[in-house]
Amino acid sequence: MSEDIKILENAEGEFGIITVNQLPVISEQLDKLQEIIQERTQSALQYECTEDNYKQIKSMRSALTKERTELEKRYKEAMETAIAPIQAVQNKFKSCMSVYKDTDAQLKTKINSVENGIKDIKKQEVVEYFNEYVASKNIDFLTFDKLGINITMSASMKSLKNAVKDAIDRVSCDLKMIETQEDKEAILVEYKKSLNVSEAVQVVKARMQAIQEEKEREIERKRAEIQKEVASQKVDEQIEKPLTPPEVIKPVETEIKPQEEKIFAVQFKAYGTRQQLKQLKEFMKKEGIRYE
């Protein structure tokens, strides 16, 4: 084992073979190193670690770690040397490409300047047509930008004016339809936001339905309150109503028959806690009051 450790500790010189600057050669030399590394690591793994030799095993592990570190260092240096020419070529290529890109950006700016001037002239003429036609339709809220017409270099003046006319005609038809609606003012407010008549109608319809439902809920709430108040008044009236004094029968010498007390019926609703209602029930039972 001591001989194996000595071999590992003196292995640094063998890594000097990784000094070339060509990738194929580096690959070939690594194939040779693979065999050497495999032999040394297998040699180290063949020993059992015991209390007698664990220190020697630790030394062997340390030697393998040192060997691996040195190999990584030599590999990195060799790769940097091999890649340096490639990196230089890549940098020159990027420099060539940057000339193309800079030139393209400058040419694009010049072209855009001319094309934007042409499109501005087109837009000016189209906007003038828009202003005249929209005024003839008596539409005062519509703007050219609201139409969303895209003025391009390929678009002809005729096609642009036709697009403007079609859009204004559509808005005019929508306004006529809105005039026939029950909630036309509210629909018109929504329509001006999107120029979508069906969407405007649906929005207002949903809003009016929600308002109506809320009104109905309020009416129902007030009705319930009134019913509760009326029921409460009936109970109060029955409680405050004076009781009819019992009829007194004068005693006679003949056989006296007890006269049954007249039974009255009253209808009312009682409101209270569970305990209060329970106590009321017990009281009525105790007093012999029949209830249904």
Side-chain angles (χ1 to χ4, degrees), residues 20 100 140 142 150 181 205 228 236 241 288 291:
V20 295
Y100 278 115
D140 58 359
L142 191 61
N150 186 24
Q181 300 298 307
K205 181 179 179 181
K228 181 179 179 181
D236 292 341
K241 184 177 181 179
Y291 59 89

Side-chain angles (χ1 to χ4, degrees), residues 2 46 69-70 90 93 102 150 180 214 251 261 263 278:
S2 60
Q46 69 180 339
T69 302
E70 180 63 24
Q90 288 178 338
F93 178 76
D102 291 343
N150 186 24
T180 64
E214 188 61 32
E261 188 176 356
I263 303 298
K278 185 177 180 181

Side-chain angles (χ1 to χ4, degrees), residues 122-143:
K122 277 186 176 183
K123 181 176 181 180
Q124 183 177 355
E125 184 175 346
V126 175
V127 170
E128 289 177 357
Y129 175 78
F130 164 82
N131 292 333
E132 293 176 0
Y133 195 68
V134 78
S136 70
K137 294 292 184 178
N138 295 320
I139 303 174
D140 58 359
F141 65 88
L142 191 61
T143 63

Side-chain angles (χ1 to χ4, degrees), residues 4 15 64 66 68 85 93 115 138 151 170 178 181-182 193 203 231 263 275 282:
D4 291 330
F15 297 135
L64 287 171
K66 182 178 179 182
R68 186 193 67 206
F93 178 76
E115 288 185 344
N138 295 320
I151 298 179
R170 176 179 56 82
I178 291 173
Q181 300 298 307
E182 181 179 356
K193 297 178 183 178
V203 168
I263 303 298
Q275 183 61 29
E282 293 298 329

Side-chain angles (χ1 to χ4, degrees), residues 39-94:
E39 180 182 350
R40 289 177 179 168
T41 53
Q42 290 300 323
S43 176
L45 291 174
Q46 69 180 339
Y47 298 103
E48 293 291 336
C49 187
T50 65
E51 293 182 1
D52 296 332
N53 68 354
Y54 80 94
K55 290 184 178 181
Q56 292 176 306
I57 298 296
K58 286 181 66 176
S59 297
M60 183 178 295
R61 179 171 177 262
S62 178
L64 287 171
T65 301
K66 182 178 179 182
E67 178 179 322
R68 186 193 67 206
T69 302
E70 180 63 24
L71 178 58
E72 289 175 344
K73 177 182 176 183
R74 296 294 179 87
Y75 168 77
K76 183 178 179 180
E77 292 174 352
M79 290 299 293
E80 289 177 351
T81 302
I83 294 175
I86 298 176
Q87 188 65 50
V89 173
Q90 288 178 338
N91 292 337
K92 288 181 180 180
F93 178 76
K94 290 179 181 179

Side-chain angles (χ1 to χ4, degrees), residues 29-252:
Q29 297 300 334
L30 285 175
D31 289 337
K32 295 180 180 179
L33 278 176
Q34 181 75 21
E35 298 177 2
I36 299 174
I37 292 170
Q38 191 70 26
E39 180 182 350
R40 289 177 179 168
T41 53
Q42 290 300 323
S43 176
L45 291 174
Q46 69 180 339
Y47 298 103
E48 293 291 336
C49 187
T50 65
E51 293 182 1
D52 296 332
N53 68 354
Y54 80 94
K55 290 184 178 181
Q56 292 176 306
I57 298 296
K58 286 181 66 176
S59 297
M60 183 178 295
R61 179 171 177 262
S62 178
L64 287 171
T65 301
K66 182 178 179 182
E67 178 179 322
R68 186 193 67 206
T69 302
E70 180 63 24
L71 178 58
E72 289 175 344
K73 177 182 176 183
R74 296 294 179 87
Y75 168 77
K76 183 178 179 180
E77 292 174 352
M79 290 299 293
E80 289 177 351
T81 302
I83 294 175
I86 298 176
Q87 188 65 50
V89 173
Q90 288 178 338
N91 292 337
K92 288 181 180 180
F93 178 76
K94 290 179 181 179
S95 178
C96 293
M97 292 300 100
S98 66
V99 174
Y100 278 115
K101 291 180 180 180
D102 291 343
T103 301
D104 181 72
Q106 294 181 41
L107 292 176
K108 182 180 179 182
T109 300
K110 293 179 180 180
I111 294 170
N112 287 344
S113 178
V114 174
E115 288 185 344
N116 288 337
I118 296 173
K119 287 190 288 186
D120 286 342
I121 294 173
K122 277 186 176 183
K123 181 176 181 180
Q124 183 177 355
E125 184 175 346
V126 175
V127 170
E128 289 177 357
Y129 175 78
F130 164 82
N131 292 333
E132 293 176 0
Y133 195 68
V134 78
S136 70
K137 294 292 184 178
N138 295 320
I139 303 174
D140 58 359
F141 65 88
L142 191 61
T143 63
F144 176 78
D145 292 337
K146 191 74 173 177
L147 300 182
I149 295 177
N150 186 24
I151 298 179
T152 62
M153 290 295 296
S154 59
S156 66
M157 186 58 61
K158 181 179 180 181
S159 66
L160 292 172
K161 289 183 178 181
N162 285 338
V164 169
K165 183 178 182 300
D166 292 343
I168 295 175
D169 288 342
R170 176 179 56 82
V171 172
S172 180
C173 290
D174 291 344
L175 294 177
K176 291 178 181 178
M177 190 275 284
I178 291 173
E179 280 295 321
T180 64
Q181 300 298 307
E182 181 179 356
D183 303 307
K184 60 182 181 180
E185 293 82 3
I187 295 175
L188 181 59
V189 171
E190 293 298 328
Y191 178 74
K192 289 179 179 181
K193 297 178 183 178
S194 63
L195 298 183
N196 188 323
V197 68
S198 60
E199 178 182 310
V201 170
Q202 290 300 321
V203 168
V204 174
K205 181 179 179 181
R207 182 187 302 155
M208 294 305 178
Q209 183 177 351
I211 293 174
Q212 182 61 31
E213 290 174 355
E214 188 61 32
K215 288 181 179 178
E216 292 175 358
R217 282 193 292 268
E218 181 64 17
I219 292 173
E220 186 63 28
R221 185 185 65 80
K222 289 182 178 180
R223 182 184 293 113
E225 289 180 354
I226 293 173
Q227 291 176 349
K228 181 179 179 181
E229 185 177 351
V230 170
S232 178
Q233 290 177 354
K234 288 182 178 180
V235 172
D236 292 341
E237 290 173 359
Q238 293 299 326
I239 293 175
E240 294 175 0
K241 184 177 181 179
L243 298 176
T244 303
E247 183 180 356
V248 179
I249 302 175
K250 294 181 180 182
V252 294

